[in-house]
């Protein structure tokens, strides 16, 4: 008599992996945190760079004087800087180089991109010292690096999970 084959193991689920507390859980939570920070930074960089140019740099107004005083040319420049950031990913995301692959590849684009983005965003806080033109250039660099990092994160996200979970 032949014995029937054992039933296949249950397919792992994302909920099961998250509740297990293993490496996949830690990577998932890290990615979610980066997506959250990236989302807030995405919008903040546009508005911060443009409000420093509004009416000669008068910046915030009291609520009683509510109006829209953005410099739309500056806003266009900051938003358009996403294009070179996104194109950069196409050239380096599959070519890890340097120590630990940090000058390319998925991890390298994210680490270098978020680091440069953060440094440029910090430099934007020094607008009274650097002037509005340098602040705008820092905003453009920061937004370009944020676009590159975010694009690499979207490429890397599904690759973190085992094939049965990806579907």
């Amino acid at each position: 008599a032949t014995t029937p084959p054992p039933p296949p193991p249950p397919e792992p689920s994302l909920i099961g992996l998250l509740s297990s507390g293993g490496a996949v859980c830690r990577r998932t939570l890290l990615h979610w945190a980066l997506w959250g920070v990236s989302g807030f930074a995405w919008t903040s960089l546009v508005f911060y760079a443009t409000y420093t140019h509004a009416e000669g740099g008068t910046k915030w107004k009291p609520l009683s004087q509510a109006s829209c005083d953005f410099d739309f040319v500056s806003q266009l420049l900051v938003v358009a800087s996403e294009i070179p950031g996104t194109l950069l990913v196409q050239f380096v995301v599959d070519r890890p180089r340097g120590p630990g692959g940090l000058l390319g590849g998925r991890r390298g684009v994210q680490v270098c991109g978020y680091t440069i983005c953060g440094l440029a965003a910090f430099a934007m806080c020094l607008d009274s010292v650097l002037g509005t033109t340098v602040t705008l250039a820092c905003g453009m660099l920061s937004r370009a690096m944020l676009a590159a990092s975010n694009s690499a994160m979207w490429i890397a996200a599904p690759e973190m999970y085992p094939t049965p979970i990806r579907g």
Side-chain angles (χ1 to χ4, degrees):
T2 60
T3 58
E11 289 190 19
S13 69
L14 182 59
I15 301 298
L17 284 175
L18 289 177
S19 64
S20 70
V24 173
C25 176
R26 287 189 298 276
R27 279 184 277 168
T28 300
L29 294 176
L30 176 63
H31 249 69
W32 287 353
L34 286 174
W35 267 324
V37 169
S38 181
F40 284 112
W42 200 265
T43 304
S44 301
L45 287 173
V46 171
F47 291 118
Y48 184 80
T50 56
Y51 100 91
T52 58
H53 289 79
E55 291 187 7
T58 57
K59 302 182 183 178
W60 303 116
K61 294 181 178 182
L63 290 176
S64 61
Q65 299 175 3
S67 66
C68 183
D69 292 327
F70 287 112
D71 180 352
F72 292 104
V73 173
S74 297
Q75 192 169 17
L76 176 66
L77 290 172
V78 172
V79 172
S81 66
E82 292 178 21
I83 295 168
T86 304
L87 291 175
L88 172 70
V89 173
Q90 293 180 6
F91 297 113
V92 298
V93 77
D94 288 326
R95 295 179 186 92
R97 299 172 193 262
L102 291 179
L103 298 177
R106 287 136 178 83
R107 181 186 318 145
V109 170
Q110 291 178 64
V111 169
C112 290
Y114 282 127
T115 301
I116 294 170
C117 174
L119 292 173
F122 176 75
M124 289 171 61
C125 297
L126 305 173
D127 61 327
S128 61
V129 176
L130 300 175
T132 55
T133 303
V134 175
T135 302
L136 178 62
C138 288
M140 293 170 64
L141 175 64
S142 187
R143 185 75 181 224
M145 292 297 99
L146 184 61
S149 303
N150 197 6
S151 296
M153 192 167 26
W154 278 100
I155 294 168
E159 296 172 352
M160 294 186 334
Y161 299 104
T163 303
I165 293 175
R166 286 187 267 172

